[in-house]
Amino acid sequence: MKTYVLKDERKRELKILDKTLQKVGRKELPHILHIQQVMLRAVDEYMSKKGVTRIMPIMIAPITDPLNHDVEECELEYEGQKFDITRSMIFHKQIILSSPYLDKIYIVSPNVRFEQEEKEDKRHLFEFTQIDFEFKGATMDDIFKFQEGLVKYVFNYIKKECADEFKALGIGTSHLDVTVPFKKYTTQELQAKYGDDFEETASAKATQPFWIINHKREFYDAEDLEKPGNYRNYDLIWPYGYIEGLSGGEREYKYDRILTRMKEAHMDGNAFRNYIQLAKEGKIPKTAGAGFGVERMTRFVCQQKEIDDVTVFTRKPGKTYLF
Ligand code: AMP
Ligand code: MG
């Protein structure tokens, strides 16, 4: 009896094996990968022109981003110490900028987030790469200008360099004609207009990227002390229904503010004791920054149905993975 079950399981696995190779062998893939490669080159160029220093990624650390939504635990043990796999480098970014010699940094940062199965929604992967940047002394207006400049630079670059690839994919490039500055809306005004699915609805109606500001989320995004209960943070939304492409904020950096916000979020202060110690000593500088997903940008640029269409191997939640 058992062998039959095994046989069935094996059959299923061999089918998935087949599908895996079909995914690797799609004729669209080399065009998508080429466009992504040019996109990353343009991002690096823009960062260099703006004097932003590239840092190599940290992939495991004793603390990582607590995030604003639940993901499954993903811990490792090494030399008797517990490590999390990087969900984002937010704390590392803040600590790097404690250096008097570094003001603007970015990381092409692999993130692992064991997203729950319900996140199988066309835009979540359980591992992805984000371009994560942080600037000392910056305000949200500085980040808006910087990112708008980046999007414009990168999209113009791709349009110029990748005409053949777009033709091969059978898509136009008018979605890459962006006008800056992008419009800004608060979460509250969009929610009042469109209800709880405001991001999806507003994105579907839009033909230009836009900002949504003022989200209540992770403790490290700064509260507006002149307007308590409001937050100096932002998401960049890709239009035509592609939804969130970037999140960022001005950061909390003062000891009492960090403690207050961590308490509000019911966080384990002990796990963050060394981060808190740095804040107590006034060593965390005032910064603002953001991170945007590479695969999400590639998906928008290449106008693909779902994020899984731009990766070589399936990394969307709720599947069986052979490689
Ligand atoms: P966050 O600060 O958590 O919003 O992450 C920064 C950016 O990374 C997001 O705006 C997305 O572009 C991208 N991102 C976050 N989570 C995922 C995911 N599970 N799969 C793909 N991209 C993601
Ligand atoms: Mg986000």
Side-chain angles (χ1 to χ4, degrees):
M1 192 64 200
K2 208 171 175 196
T3 46
Y4 284 115
V5 174
L6 278 178
K7 262 190 187 163
D8 280 355
E9 273 177 16
R10 186 65 186 141
K11 250 194 197 162
R12 197 178 142 261
E13 203 170 69
L14 290 179
K15 247 191 199 164
I16 298 168
L17 187 59
D18 226 34
K19 274 195 175 163
T20 305
L21 276 201
Q22 278 173 26
K23 183 166 160 62
V24 174
R26 280 170 299 145
K27 69 176 189 316
E28 296 82 9
L29 188 62
H31 305 301
I32 293 169
L33 294 177
H34 183 85
I35 292 171
Q36 180 171 258
Q37 184 173 359
V38 171
M39 184 182 98
L40 290 171
R41 186 163 82 226
V43 170
D44 277 333
E45 257 189 45
Y46 183 81
M47 293 288 185
S48 289
K49 281 178 201 278
K50 298 285 175 185
V52 188
T53 302
R54 182 163 172 178
I55 309 282
M56 289 299 115
I58 291 289
M59 304 199 36
I60 60 169
I63 59 166
T64 190
D65 196 331
L67 300 179
N68 193 34
H69 66 284
D70 283 336
V71 292
E72 287 174 37
E73 278 299 320
C74 180
E75 273 187 2
L76 297 172
E77 208 172 303
Y78 173 63
E79 301 279 1
Q81 241 193 299
K82 284 230 167 25
F83 285 80
D84 274 324
I85 302 186
T86 297
R87 294 193 284 264
S88 92
M89 280 182 59
I90 177 64
F91 305 121
H92 294 86
K93 290 197 299 180
Q94 288 180 293
I95 294 165
I96 293 164
L97 292 178
S98 70
S99 164
Y101 308 111
L102 289 167
D103 287 337
K104 293 187 201 171
I105 52 137
Y106 80 108
I107 309 120
V108 180
S109 177
N111 289 184
V112 173
R113 301 180 183 179
F114 282 173
E115 307 280 5
Q116 319 263 344
E117 205 174 324
E118 74 255 22
K119 292 279 189 193
E120 206 219 316
D121 58 4
K122 300 196 169 86
R123 60 199 171 99
H124 282 87
L125 301 168
F126 70 78
E127 62 171 323
F128 64 95
T129 302
Q130 67 164 306
I131 313 267
D132 207 359
F133 58 91
E134 197 78 15
F135 304 156
K136 201 185 288 176
T139 64
M140 50 198 284
D141 286 323
D142 299 327
I143 303 298
F144 292 149
K145 266 195 212 116
F146 179 85
Q147 182 67 18
E148 285 160 0
L150 182 145
V151 169
K152 205 168 164 109
Y153 184 87
V154 171
F155 286 6
N156 283 338
Y157 198 111
I158 299 173
K159 268 195 303 185
K160 217 166 82 199
E161 298 266 323
C162 300
D164 292 347
E165 275 73 20
F166 283 111
K167 216 173 184 182
L169 288 175
I171 57 172
T173 58
S174 60
H175 62 294
L176 302 178
D177 298 331
V178 295
T179 310
V180 297
F182 302 149
K183 289 201 168 118
K184 297 180 191 78
Y185 306 94
T186 63
T187 51
Q188 294 73 18
E189 70 181 295
L190 290 184
Q191 198 158 21
K193 197 162 169 193
Y194 298 122
D196 282 346
D197 291 334
F198 62 91
E199 264 191 38
E200 284 84 343
T201 312
S203 167
K205 285 178 185 283
T207 56
Q208 285 283 317
F210 62 94
W211 296 101
I212 305 183
I213 58 175
N214 191 8
H215 309 257
K216 177 147 179 65
R217 53 187 182 206
E218 294 91 344
F219 78 88
Y220 51 74
D221 275 4
E223 189 170 1
D224 189 340
L225 294 180
E226 284 167 23
K227 285 185 272 169
N230 289 276
Y231 299 86
R232 294 186 61 82
N233 57 15
Y234 34 83
D235 280 0
L236 180 66
I237 307 295
W238 297 126
Y240 302 107
Y242 287 81
I243 326 188
E244 180 200 324
L246 165 149
S247 287
E250 292 181 11
R251 313 300 183 187
E252 299 287 4
Y253 61 100
K254 290 182 177 159
Y255 177 61
D256 60 326
R257 292 292 313 149
I258 288 176
L259 286 189
T260 303
R261 296 292 308 282
M262 283 181 103
K263 211 166 159 189
E264 263 177 37
H266 308 290
M267 289 186 55
D268 172 14
N270 188 45
F272 286 84
R273 63 190 179 279
N274 292 309
Y275 174 75
I276 293 170
Q277 179 66 27
L278 287 179
K280 192 173 186 178
E281 293 173 15
K283 304 248 168 72
I284 297 184
K286 178 175 159 44
T287 68
F292 59 94
V294 170
E295 296 84 353
R296 287 202 187 170
M297 197 185 223
T298 307
R299 179 187 168 218
F300 174 69
V301 166
C302 297
Q303 296 282 288
Q304 295 299 293
K305 258 207 218 104
E306 59 171 313
I307 195 161
D308 205 48
D309 293 336
V310 310
T311 65
V312 181
F313 295 99
T314 289
R315 285 296 182 268
K316 63 178 177 182
K319 296 285 152 197
T320 303
Y321 314 96
L322 302 188
F323 296 102

